[in-house]
Amino acid sequence: MVKENIAKLVEKAIKTLQKEKVFPEFVIPEVLVEHPDKQNNGDYSVNIALKLAKTVKKNPQEIAEAICAKIKPSKAVEKIEAVSGFINFYLSMEFFQQEISVILRQKDKYGSQQSKKTVVIDYSAPNIAKPFGIGHLRSTIIGQALYNIYQFLGWKCIGDNHLGDWGTQFGKLIYQIKKKIKPKDWKKLSINELEKLYVEFHKEAETYPEMEEEARSYFKKLEKGDKEAKTIWQACVDTSLKEFDRIYKMLGIKIDYALGESFYGGEPMQKIVAELAKKKISAKSQGAIVIKYANDELPPAMILKSDKATTYFLRDLATIKYRLKTWRPDIFVYEIGADQYLHLKQLFSAVKSLGWVKKQKLVHVAHGMIRWEHGKFSTRKGQTIHLEEVLQEAISRAMKIIESAKANIVLSEKEKKEISEIVGIGAIKYNDLSQHHSRDIIFSWEKILSMDGNSGPYLQYTVVRCQSVAKKAKAKKLEVNLTGLNEAEKNILKTIYKFPEIIQLAADNFSPNLICNFAHDLAQKYNLFYNQCPILSSENKETRLALNAAVGQVLKSCLKLLGISIPKKM
Ligand code: ARG
């Protein structure tokens, strides 16, 4: 990547200056290569001279000039300039030309890499016996995008759906089902009925608090392997999984494993309890066992309740142990809501005290909430909104747009249905991915489905446009001709080559939104070009078709990484 080469050139120049005793000996700090804000400051800029000013005891401009003087222009970098302490690099037109050939040759491999590393991504993780809520949508979509991005960079990726299928809430559910439902109907309970039973339990328990105790004993029975408790639990799991599968199918999501919390029961967990006690990380507290943190840096985390029931926390510890042993990942990614910030902080800290991880990174990719402009994302009556309804609504709104559009193309009913699904679902996904994961999303149908804003449909439309131009032209070998390039064409050249570095940046920062920003920028530049420059009738036809094909390819790769499909027509 040209960006990495520039960093190396700068480092080498500094080393030379050290050898020549122009600079004293010091460890060279990381050379950051960035795109300057203003276009007339080159394509890349390095601020190392400003950073070195104190160490070298010269003014930054002098340092920048000294470094500049040691770097020779190359085929890719045609000009290097020191300006107010910055070192600016100008890429050559030959470089841009070359990059288009690389894109057209490598196609969907362009920007991909090889790696020997492994990442485990914990995402989606809905809870059994509750409808798939909007709350798990972000985790599912962002988690899947991260999976795709790392895979593209050559990592071995393990996706694990840590289903919420264990815990004291199942004691409550089992109690309530046993009380209210005949055994022959257990399997017939729908997910909405299961949710209702759970809500009812809480209402009734306000009047009869002894129910709580009963529920606890049912969860204990479940943990001990009681047959009846297990049968009811299994019925809840089966119904829920069927439901979730439908949602995953709509979203086009497939997760490698769905081990779930229940997978970690029994002996492995007891071993961890013993290890924690032996290493003096845990202590008894009012009958329960908790992890105490040094200097009370974090509040204690409960691992066993006073009745010895296991906790979410302990199951997460067991999960890490299993993942370490099974996959030896370099990074553990948890795509979970920001509301579990403390839980993960406690968890990561405990894992470090246990000495389980050394070089491995544990990362919480915390997402914000989705809400309406005026408040919580719920129905007018205050009930939570089920994801399936939102997806259906997106599809039917996309259908309306398709039907009302001034049609240049004739679509059959079947095509309309297919397109509306791809556009509706794509719009929901893009809306989620295009904002930084940590921020809350303000949900607005207008923005999500806008055909000319920063939206999924806009990008899908642009790719389809590129493809239809290419189809009409039927050209074979394409190349960019450097003579007579206009501004619109140059703008595409000066944007598209950033794709590989953006993917790397998105992976390093766990931020798929960087890919969205890039794709949107590129699409805008393409559409400007498309509106200003005739393609097929032009003298520069070959160049323009090459740009058209390269943009189509790169945007397609962006959408693929984001998990967004592209309709055949639009
Ligand atoms: N099921 C949990 C919830 O809905 C999310 C689980 C996330 N993963 C984890 N390893 N804790 O809150």
Side-chain angles (χ1 to χ4, degrees):
M1 245 187 276
V2 62
K3 184 177 167 181
E4 284 160 8
N5 291 341
I6 288 176
K8 277 188 206 139
L9 286 175
V10 173
E11 268 171 38
K12 213 175 121 200
I14 299 175
K15 273 193 197 137
T16 312
L17 290 164
Q18 287 179 320
K19 260 193 225 133
E20 293 175 1
K21 305 267 184 265
V22 182
F23 290 170
E25 287 286 331
F26 52 79
V27 180
I28 303 169
E30 193 194 349
V31 177
L32 286 179
V33 182
E34 284 168 324
H35 297 288
D37 292 337
K38 283 202 206 108
Q39 273 228 341
N40 48 12
N41 283 333
D43 299 297
Y44 283 111
S45 185
V46 169
N47 70 355
I48 191 88
L50 296 156
K51 274 204 250 167
L52 291 181
K54 268 207 190 112
T55 326
V56 178
K57 297 203 179 68
K58 283 188 174 132
N59 85 39
Q61 177 62 13
E62 235 178 285
I63 301 168
E65 282 170 16
I67 296 172
C68 256
K70 289 288 171 205
I71 305 173
K72 280 196 204 76
S74 61
K75 244 173 101 179
V77 181
E78 66 180 11
K79 191 168 94 180
I80 305 139
E81 210 176 43
V83 180
S84 333
F86 286 92
I87 308 167
N88 298 335
F89 294 81
Y90 294 77
L91 299 176
S92 68
M93 271 299 154
E94 284 77 17
F95 165 79
F96 293 124
Q97 180 187 38
Q98 196 54 37
E99 204 63 9
I100 298 291
S101 312
V102 176
I103 296 170
L104 297 180
R105 198 175 55 240
Q106 297 186 341
K107 300 208 168 65
D108 52 5
K109 301 276 181 317
Y110 176 65
S112 67
Q113 293 178 33
Q114 307 266 333
S115 170
K116 288 201 165 60
K117 295 197 171 161
T118 300
V119 58
V120 172
I121 306 179
D122 183 313
Y123 66 109
S124 196
N127 297 319
I128 297 298
K130 286 190 187 149
F132 200 118
I134 198 87
H136 291 98
L137 175 71
R138 297 208 71 190
S139 175
T140 308
I141 293 184
I142 299 169
Q144 186 65 56
L146 291 173
Y147 184 100
N148 300 343
I149 293 167
Y150 273 89
Q151 194 172 52
F152 190 64
L153 295 180
W155 288 54
K156 183 169 172 202
C157 294
I158 317 282
D160 188 14
N161 192 352
H162 193 70
L163 295 166
D165 60 359
W166 209 247
T168 31
Q169 70 273 29
F170 288 96
K172 297 175 185 176
L173 205 55
I174 292 168
Y175 170 91
Q176 198 70 357
I177 290 175
K178 250 181 84 76
K179 190 166 84 182
K180 297 267 169 87
I181 312 290
K182 291 195 194 96
K184 70 172 176 47
D185 293 328
W186 289 348
K187 280 192 180 163
K188 290 185 206 145
L189 287 165
S190 72
I191 201 146
N192 290 331
E193 284 163 336
L194 290 174
E195 188 187 36
K196 226 169 98 198
L197 282 161
Y198 187 66
V199 172
E200 268 171 25
F201 174 93
H202 284 276
K203 261 199 209 126
E204 288 170 25
E206 276 170 25
T207 327
Y208 307 102
E210 61 279 10
M211 281 168 65
E212 297 278 358
E213 200 42 52
E214 291 264 346
R216 268 194 286 278
S217 78
Y218 274 112
F219 179 55
K220 266 184 79 176
K221 277 189 186 171
L222 183 64
E223 287 217 291
K224 290 226 166 85
D226 176 86
K227 237 176 132 192
E228 187 183 47
K230 207 70 195 274
T231 306
I232 299 178
W233 173 83
Q234 192 66 54
C236 297
V237 171
D238 292 346
T239 303
S240 308
L241 289 187
K242 237 184 256 156
E243 198 75 14
F244 298 163
D245 274 348
R246 246 206 356 266
I247 301 275
Y248 289 133
K249 222 175 243 145
M250 281 179 88
L251 288 172
I253 298 279
K254 232 176 137 185
I255 307 176
D256 299 326
Y257 296 89
L259 299 181
E261 291 181 46
S262 64
F263 181 75
Y264 303 97
E267 211 188 316
M269 275 204 273
Q270 295 316 319
K271 271 195 187 153
I272 294 172
V273 173
E275 188 179 341
L276 286 164
K278 203 172 141 217
K279 294 185 173 164
K280 299 210 162 44
I281 297 168
S282 63
K284 278 217 167 106
S285 167
Q286 297 170 334
I289 299 184
V290 301
I291 293 181
K292 285 252 169 73
Y293 294 90
N295 313 321
D296 291 325
E297 264 164 23
L298 294 167
M302 195 186 288
I303 54 168
L304 279 184
K305 299 191 178 174
S306 52
D307 63 358
K308 301 280 179 298
T310 62
T311 58
Y312 178 55
F313 192 91
L314 179 57
R315 291 189 286 279
D316 254 330
L317 274 180
T319 309
I320 293 187
K321 193 160 191 190
Y322 176 85
R323 289 175 180 166
L324 261 172
K325 190 179 85 202
T326 316
W327 297 301
R328 300 175 182 280
D330 299 276
I331 307 185
F332 292 79
V333 172
Y334 290 82
E335 199 339 305
I336 314 181
D339 53 343
Q340 293 194 33
Y341 173 77
L342 180 61
H343 170 74
L344 289 162
K345 230 176 146 175
Q346 291 168 313
L347 187 67
F348 296 170
S349 170
V351 168
K352 281 178 195 143
S353 309
L354 280 159
W356 288 354
V357 297
K358 296 196 172 66
K359 276 186 280 173
Q360 300 92 328
K361 265 208 295 197
L362 294 150
V363 185
H364 178 197
V365 179
H367 63 252
M369 288 193 308
I370 299 186
R371 52 192 174 85
W372 300 117
E373 207 173 339
H374 333 280
K376 239 182 122 179
F377 200 71
S378 50
T379 62
R380 240 180 257 155
K381 281 194 217 140
Q383 289 150 335
T384 53
I385 294 183
H386 296 166
L387 179 60
E388 196 166 359
E389 291 162 27
V390 178
L391 298 181
Q392 288 300 357
E393 170 130 15
I395 294 170
S396 71
R397 281 179 185 253
M399 181 61 115
K400 271 195 204 120
I401 294 175
I402 294 167
E403 282 180 333
S404 67
K406 280 194 275 104
N408 302 332
I409 39 170
V410 186
L411 298 169
S412 70
E413 284 310 306
K414 189 167 157 253
E415 281 174 329
K416 277 192 212 159
K417 187 167 169 281
E418 239 173 68
I419 298 170
S420 64
E421 280 169 9
I422 294 177
V423 172
I425 299 291
I428 293 275
K429 286 187 178 179
Y430 189 85
N431 179 53
D432 200 321
L433 291 165
S434 58
Q435 315 186 44
H436 190 265
H437 52 75
S438 65
R439 285 182 37 199
D440 285 356
I441 289 187
I442 311 289
F443 200 89
S444 141
W445 283 115
E446 283 68 39
K447 186 171 163 253
I448 292 175
L449 286 158
S450 132
M451 284 305 291
D452 48 17
N454 185 7
S455 72
Y458 175 70
L459 288 181
Q460 288 169 322
Y461 185 71
T462 309
V463 179
V464 172
R465 175 175 269 179
C466 294
Q467 289 174 345
S468 93
V469 170
K471 218 173 176 178
K472 264 190 223 142
K474 289 192 199 118
K476 287 219 178 73
K477 205 171 161 331
L478 296 171
E479 241 169 76
V480 169
N481 196 331
L482 289 181
T483 46
L485 285 177
N486 65 25
E487 271 319 290
E489 291 163 331
K490 281 187 192 160
N491 278 337
I492 292 179
L493 288 172
K494 288 182 169 225
T495 303
I496 200 165
Y497 76 97
K498 295 177 189 167
F499 176 72
E501 70 182 64
I502 294 289
I503 303 307
Q504 185 64 54
L505 219 54
D508 293 345
N509 295 292
F510 307 97
S511 295
N513 65 306
L514 297 176
I515 300 180
C516 299
N517 293 349
F518 166 80
H520 181 237
D521 184 28
L522 182 62
Q524 276 187 316
K525 287 182 173 141
Y526 171 82
N527 284 317
L528 215 66
F529 154 79
Y530 180 87
N531 290 327
Q532 285 174 4
C533 314
I535 299 181
L536 298 177
S537 60
S538 150
E539 268 177 33
N540 283 339
K541 181 170 149 186
E542 203 190 28
T543 294
R544 291 187 178 168
L545 282 173
L547 292 178
N548 177 76
V551 170
Q553 177 57 58
V554 168
L555 286 181
K556 209 168 101 187
S557 296
C558 288
L559 288 178
K560 179 134 187 254
L561 291 172
L562 299 171
I564 296 174
S565 312
I566 299 163
K568 286 197 198 80
K569 297 181 191 171
M570 201 169 159

